[in-house]
Every structure is written in structure tokens, then in C-alpha cells.
Amino acid sequence: MSKKITLLGSTGSIGTQSLDVIRMQGYTVFGLAAYSNIDLLLKQIVEFCPQYVVVVESNAAQKLGTQLLGLKNPPQLMVGKEALVELAALQGADIVLNAVVGIAGLAATLAAIESGKDVALANKESLVTGGHLVTDAVKKHGVKLLPVDSEHSAIFQCLQDVHSAKALDKVILTASGGPFFGKTINELQNVTKADALKHPNWSMGAKITIDSATLMNKGLELIEAAWLFNKPCDKIDIVVQRQSIIHSMVQFDDNSILAQLGVPDMRIPIQYALTYPERYKSPAPVLDFKTLKSITFDEADEETFRCLKACKKSLKKGGLASCAANGANEQAVELFLQDKIKFLDIGRVVESMVDHIQVKPDYTLAEVFDCDKYAREYVLSQI
Ligand code: NAD
Ligand code: MG
């Protein structure tokens, strides 16, 4: 069946891989959104002919507007961060795939759900910052929230048998360990941006690549899993699986374990979210066990990688503690990418933010954004 898709964050790593899947499945693109990379966006517009396009950054939008004059059937161009939310809610799409990076994706996730659309969610920060708003909205509007993150897709795939799903005891999240696996605090003192941007298994956007090096990504995924699968922190284990072949596992009440395996290629989980519950041919290669030879397991070192510890603490603290951890991390990663702080400072400020923040159980969307702003300012005051 052909589907109409709105793709937010189309110029990013997940965005472009989503278009590979959309191309192969012959789906229709209803809307595309990006921040400022209009050269790539224009190519996508020419190929996929969306009805609507959003550019968040206004100068880039203006330039694109001029270029669109040359097209036969140009899409309607919308500008700014409000337009991103508007596009997410527009009737005409069957599903919204949110591949925006950071808390910038939260309002659009909520808007898509509130307009009654299923959401394929790559933007883990939506659940980390506004977990209870997102999950409450999903229940209220009776829509599906389909995980795109490979670990959460793996867990979701393992839970398709409803009888077994009722007996879910534990979620076992796998982690690659990132480029600095096995390193001591001392060895991490002077690692550079270039070192941190070299991920062993996955090719991703800069922010999530740094998050993988600090293990913040696994911390964010722990919080994401807690919301998606309704489990407390002590029912989510993390195990390092260096080859990124086992994408995650579930353990049932009878101690039986199911795992989902495959090559590390995001087009598999992206496609499953879009074609769910069906499975079709994928553009991703098959796993070759002869060349793989072994699959190894190690412990995650949360004493060295403080971001993971901080995320655990935030999940236990509840309320907006995870939002504060995320905001602190987004600000710290930005500073690290500008060479303004050191690698280990990221974990230091994120943990300090979580220890410092005072929380209450419930919150509004406005309070989420206030907390995010507060966390960013807190980090800037600490450096
Ligand atoms: P990326 O940096 O490659 O792309 C981000 C996209 O979001 C771009 O299209 C950009 O234009 C857009 N964007 C950036 N800031 C924006 C803003 N303020 N408003 C609107 N759009 C904005 O990032 P990515 O690696 O594709 O990751 C996207 C999301 O998917 C993240 O939440 C990440 O954690 C998650 N994710 C990524 C991977 C991966 O393999 N890359 C895997 C799992 C989950
Ligand atoms: Mg992941």
C-alpha cells in the first residue's frame, strides 16, 4: 500500500536514509522539513515532489524561495520553527517521520500526535524531554508511536507476540561502546573533537556521534526505552556489544531472551517503522556470519562515562530531570564542537545539572522549554 509521508529533518543522516527507504518502497512524500541545507533540500524536492516544504532558518528559506521559482510544480514553502510544527499537523500525510535532532523536534512530535497521525520517531529527545506529554498524547489520540532508534526498534520487533509481551521482565539495551571504549579517565583528558567524531560502526550526525562517544546516547536511549516500554530504570540493562550486530534484547518472566540482529544499517529500523507491521525487501545488506565470526559482550563503564550515570540518576529522579540532562548535554556538545570545553567537561556538567535540578512529577510543555533554557544557562555559567 502506498503511504504519504511527512519527513522532518530530511537533510540529516536519518533523513537521507529515510528517503532511500521511501524511494525503494515507492511511497509518496507529502512534506519535507530541514533547518538550512537548501542545496540538498532542493535536490530532494526535485526528486520527491512534496506538496509542502519547511525551512527553519529564514535566510536559507529566502534563498530557496527564489530557486523554487524555476520549478514547474513548486511545493508551498513555509518558514520558521512554528512552520515545522504546522507541517507536522497538516492533514494529508499518513505518518510523520521525525528525524530532527534535539529538543527542537518535541513540539512537532506532539503536533503530529495531536492531529491524529502515527509518528515514526527517530528524535529520541522528544521522549527524553517530554516523555509523559508524548506518551499521554499517544494514549489520548489512539495513534502509534513507532521507534526508529535501532535499539528500540529491536525491542519493539521482539515484542510483536502479544502473549509474550505481557510477560516482559527486562529490556536489554545494547551499546557499541563508542570510539573510546575501554579508555580510562586519564586517557580521555585530551581527546579531540576529531577523535570523538570517529564512530566505529555507525555513520551519523555530529551531535549523536559525540553522544555515542560520551555514552550520553545510551543514557538518552535508556530514558527513551523507559517511556516506550513502560519499565523502571532497574528493569533496563545495558550491555556493550562492540560489533553492533545485536541491536537489543528482551527478557521474559521465564528468563527466555529474544534478540534482533542485523548489519548496522539504520535503513532496517527506519523501514520497519514505515512499513509496520509488514516486512518488505530492504536496501540494507544481509548479515554475513562467516565474515562476522564472533559477537562479544562487555560491561558499560558508567564510572568513566558520567553521562550514562547522570541519565540513570535523572530517570530515577523523575519529572523534568531528564529534560535538564538533555538540555545541559545539547549545550555542552555545542561548546565541545566549538572547541570551548573539553571532552570530560560534557559528563561533568550534565551530571552536575542532574544533581542540582529540583523536580516535581508533572509538567507542561511550557515548563519543558523553560527547563531546557535553564539547563543551557546553567552549563554556560559553569564553564
Ligand atoms: P543530523 O544532524 O544528521 O540531521 C538533523 C536534521 O534535523 C537535519 O535535517 C537538520 O536540518 C534538522 N534540524 C537541525 N536542527 C533543527 C531545528 N532546530 N529545527 C528543525 N530541524 C532541524 O542528525 P541525525 O544523525 O540524522 O539524527 C536525527 C535524530 O535521529 C536525532 O534525534 C538522533 O538522536 C536520532 N538517531 C539518529 C541515528 C543515526 O544513525 N544518525 C540513529 C538513531 C537515532
Ligand atoms: Mg540508537
Side-chain angles (χ1 to χ4, degrees):
M1 190 191 84
S2 182
K3 284 190 185 171
K4 276 194 187 170
I5 297 163
T6 288
L7 173 57
L8 312 178
S10 68
T11 54
S13 160
I14 294 290
T16 51
Q17 294 181 86
S18 299
L19 289 171
D20 282 351
V21 170
I22 289 170
R23 183 186 296 114
M24 180 150 174
Q25 297 306 328
Y27 289 160
T28 305
V29 175
F30 177 75
L32 290 177
Y35 186 74
S36 63
N37 183 352
I38 53 166
D39 294 343
L40 179 54
L41 187 59
L42 183 62
K43 284 189 192 136
Q44 296 176 343
I45 293 169
V46 170
E47 179 177 355
F48 293 96
C49 308
Q51 274 172 259
Y52 295 90
V53 165
V54 168
V55 176
V56 172
E57 205 279 313
S58 55
N59 292 324
Q62 213 174 0
K63 269 194 213 152
L64 182 70
T66 316
Q67 291 166 355
L68 289 181
L69 295 174
L71 296 189
K72 237 197 202 149
N73 290 308
Q76 187 173 324
L77 177 62
M78 297 148 74
V79 185
K81 66 178 188 184
E82 294 76 19
L84 184 77
V85 179
E86 223 179 291
L87 173 62
L90 268 186
Q91 294 309 319
D94 300 310
I95 185 166
V96 173
L97 199 169
N98 189 347
V100 168
V101 61
I103 193 175
L106 171 62
T109 297
L110 285 169
I113 296 168
E114 283 160 5
S115 68
K117 285 190 269 300
D118 292 340
V119 173
L121 191 67
N123 180 254
K124 63 191 84 185
E125 295 91 345
S126 285
L127 280 168
V128 172
T129 58
H132 101 72
L133 300 177
V134 173
T135 50
D136 285 358
V138 165
K139 274 186 220 130
K140 183 172 168 196
H141 296 277
V143 299
K144 290 191 208 62
L145 188 61
L146 299 150
V148 169
D149 215 346
S150 58
E151 295 77 3
H152 306 75
S153 173
I155 296 159
F156 182 62
Q157 292 181 52
C158 290
L159 292 176
Q160 286 309 306
D161 162 17
V162 278
H163 293 291
S164 304
K166 276 190 245 158
L168 175 67
D169 177 35
K170 248 188 192 180
V171 161
I172 305 166
L173 272 183
T174 53
S176 72
F180 303 141
F181 174 73
K183 292 233 185 299
T184 61
I185 298 241
N186 226 354
E187 290 168 327
L188 290 173
Q189 300 285 3
N190 292 314
V191 294
T192 64
K193 182 168 81 181
D195 298 329
L197 283 170
K198 274 182 228 138
H199 195 277
N201 305 333
W202 300 95
S203 153
M204 309 176 286
K207 190 250 175 191
I208 184 178
T209 306
I210 301 301
D211 288 351
S212 300
T214 59
L215 294 201
M216 183 71 188
N217 186 48
K218 216 41 63 179
L220 297 175
E221 292 183 351
L222 172 87
I223 301 162
E224 184 185 13
W227 285 111
L228 281 171
F229 307 109
N230 197 21
K231 286 284 170 202
C233 193
D234 62 351
K235 287 287 180 187
I236 307 170
D237 285 353
I238 292 173
V239 57
V240 174
Q241 204 294 281
R242 286 295 280 159
Q243 300 79 19
S244 298
I245 296 300
I246 299 183
H247 297 303
S248 277
M249 301 179 263
V250 295
Q251 182 174 311
F252 299 109
D253 288 337
D254 60 359
N255 292 348
S256 173
I257 293 172
L258 288 189
Q260 186 261 341
L261 283 72
V263 291
D265 188 318
M266 285 307 296
R267 292 172 302 181
I268 296 177
I270 292 168
Q271 177 165 310
Y272 191 67
L274 293 180
T275 66
Y276 175 83
E278 308 298 334
R279 290 183 187 271
Y280 301 113
K281 285 271 174 218
S282 164
V286 292
L287 176 59
D288 178 4
F289 285 97
K290 287 193 289 296
T291 49
L292 175 66
K293 292 214 167 35
S294 69
I295 296 178
T296 59
F297 301 99
D298 290 279
E299 244 179 276
D301 176 2
E302 60 187 51
E303 296 311 314
T304 304
F305 296 88
R306 301 306 297 182
C307 285
L308 178 54
K309 184 87 164 190
C311 286
K312 278 193 180 173
K313 282 191 197 175
S314 80
L315 188 53
K316 287 183 183 153
K317 206 161 177 178
L320 285 171
S322 296
C323 173
N326 180 76
N329 180 61
E330 287 193 26
Q331 183 64 73
V333 170
E334 202 179 309
L335 293 168
F336 176 68
L337 289 172
Q338 294 164 354
D339 297 312
K340 289 189 179 147
I341 61 172
K342 289 187 150 192
F343 182 75
L344 289 173
D345 292 333
I346 303 174
R348 182 176 57 77
V349 293
V350 172
E351 187 172 18
S352 161
M353 179 74 264
V354 173
D355 290 341
H356 178 82
I357 190 94
Q358 292 187 353
V359 297
K360 58 183 175 77
D362 258 2
Y363 47 83
T364 62
L365 185 59
E367 286 171 324
V368 172
F369 292 130
D370 284 349
C371 174
D372 178 67
K373 187 163 171 264
Y374 173 73
R376 288 167 194 264
E377 285 165 1
Y378 179 82
V379 169
L380 292 170
S381 76
Q382 296 287 302
I383 60 159

